[in-house]
Amino acid sequence: MTQNNKTLPIGIFDSGIGGLTVVKEVIRQLPNEDIVYLGDTARVPYGTKSSKTVISYSQSNAQFLTSKGIKLLVIACNTASAVALQSLRWDLDIPVIGVLEPGAREAVSSTRNKIVGVIGTPSTIKSEAYKKAIENIDPDIKVYSTKCPLFVPLAEEGWLDDSISEQIANRYLQSVIREGIDTLILGCTHYPLLKNLIQKVVGNNINLVDSAQQVALEIERTLSESNLENQSNPNSKKEFYLTDISDSFISIAANFLGEEINHIQHIDISKS
Ligand code: DGL
């Protein structure tokens, strides 16, 4: 990488809208960085698919983003981070950051009673990736996990504060609340969109960990260690690519990011 690579964008992908929770933090913490975002909305959800399928989707997403000339790749999807991080690190010659370890680290520093809950997609929970990452840092911490498969379609649909969503959250979350957790990892990048609702259901004594902030810090650290930070770019650009464009994505994204999304394009990933 040369000095000129500093001006290249950061590539970020997710199965859909969830990765925008990471985009929002990157915009806040690293305002000079250009971003190219890929939401694989035609193939969402990833969390109910096999590891083999998610690895293959992640590889095609990474291929598309690297064809845009990025300097760093962020897998803004827990499901893909859990199963595809190693293979993408192996395949690519740029730094690759996943969302799982930053979230695990934050949970470890947040818990006081050493009882942590994790919620995620069926695939993330089955991989036990959070449990392993937490136990690696502190083997005394007890980890209780539960899958919440309906949260992703609720977030994609924009039902962020709906009574039906609340009933579903109630049903999913009772098992981890019962274990006496004081910290709950939102182990899917879609879930911070439902953060207010989840906080309401678990109560204010449980600290919710949204890894987006930690991921942005890790991006900052990695860019600075590799001398790749874009220091002066006040008119930074954001490009959004979707494998299926829906009106709900555009309106939820604009609402969530607090700005209009102008550069949004459809791509056919199988032909890219
Ligand atoms: N947002 C993703 C995650 O963090 C994937 C959700 C899905 O596609 O099932 O796991």
Side-chain angles (χ1 to χ4, degrees):
M1 289 254 165
T2 65
Q3 287 296 96
N4 293 340
N5 293 113
K6 287 178 179 232
T7 57
L8 294 177
I10 295 173
I12 302 179
F13 80 80
D14 178 43
S15 59
I17 205 161
L20 294 182
T21 56
V22 174
V23 169
K24 189 172 180 168
E25 269 308 311
V26 173
I27 293 174
R28 200 177 68 81
Q29 291 187 40
L30 301 162
N32 291 319
E33 299 296 343
D34 290 342
I35 295 171
V36 185
Y37 183 82
L38 170 61
D40 192 7
T41 40
R43 303 190 291 197
V44 68
Y46 280 13
T48 49
K49 300 201 168 79
S50 69
S51 305
K52 196 168 163 228
T53 300
V54 175
I55 292 172
S56 138
Y57 288 177
S58 302
Q59 284 167 336
S60 56
N61 295 342
Q63 208 171 3
F64 170 76
L65 286 171
T66 48
S67 77
K68 297 279 158 202
I70 54 172
K71 61 183 174 186
L72 177 142
L73 176 70
V74 184
I75 309 176
C77 171
N78 290 261
T79 310
S81 298
V83 299
L85 178 65
Q86 294 316 330
S87 79
L88 293 187
R89 281 198 172 141
W90 182 259
D91 290 348
L92 305 179
D93 58 2
I94 52 172
V96 181
I97 291 178
V99 284
L100 226 131
E101 284 187 353
R105 275 199 302 270
E106 198 192 336
V108 171
S109 64
S110 138
T111 183
R112 294 287 156 260
N113 70 359
K114 293 190 183 270
I115 312 178
V116 171
V118 181
I119 51 174
T121 64
S123 164
T124 300
I125 299 303
K126 187 166 167 224
S127 75
E128 297 200 321
Y130 271 107
K131 194 167 154 57
K132 289 175 200 155
I134 291 172
E135 285 171 357
N136 246 338
I137 309 172
D138 184 345
D140 291 336
I141 294 181
K142 291 203 167 37
V143 180
Y144 295 97
S145 312
T146 194
K147 56 187 181 191
C148 305
L150 292 174
F151 280 0
V152 169
L154 290 175
E156 292 278 333
E157 190 64 27
W159 289 16
L160 310 182
D161 194 14
D162 190 280
S163 62
I164 293 173
S165 311
E166 189 173 338
Q167 278 179 41
I168 292 171
N170 235 313
R171 179 142 175 195
Y172 279 146
L173 298 171
Q174 288 313 318
S175 67
V176 282
I177 296 172
R178 260 198 310 272
E179 301 296 346
I181 58 167
D182 70 351
T183 300
L184 178 65
I185 300 180
L186 305 180
C188 169
T189 51
H190 280 70
Y191 297 178
L193 292 158
L194 299 159
K195 198 170 182 175
N196 292 342
L197 185 83
I198 295 172
Q199 190 79 68
K200 188 169 160 196
V201 170
V202 299
N204 288 332
N205 292 333
I206 294 179
N207 181 34
L208 300 185
V209 172
D210 159 5
S211 53
Q213 220 172 334
Q214 296 303 316
V215 172
L217 282 173
E218 179 137 340
I219 297 169
E220 189 173 14
R221 226 178 357 252
T222 308
L223 291 178
S224 127
E225 278 165 14
S226 324
N227 198 21
L228 282 172
E229 278 172 309
N230 197 343
Q231 261 117 7
S232 163
N233 183 24
N235 298 316
S236 58
K237 291 190 290 291
K238 286 129 215 148
E239 283 173 24
F240 294 87
Y241 293 88
L242 298 178
T243 52
D244 184 55
I245 296 193
S246 71
D247 291 344
S248 74
F249 184 100
I250 299 172
S251 71
I252 300 169
N255 242 331
F256 182 71
L257 294 178
E259 56 184 80
E260 280 304 308
I261 301 213
N262 299 317
H263 301 279
I264 189 157
Q265 285 175 54
H266 174 255
I267 53 132
D268 184 347
I269 202 112
S270 60
K271 297 198 181 123
S272 65

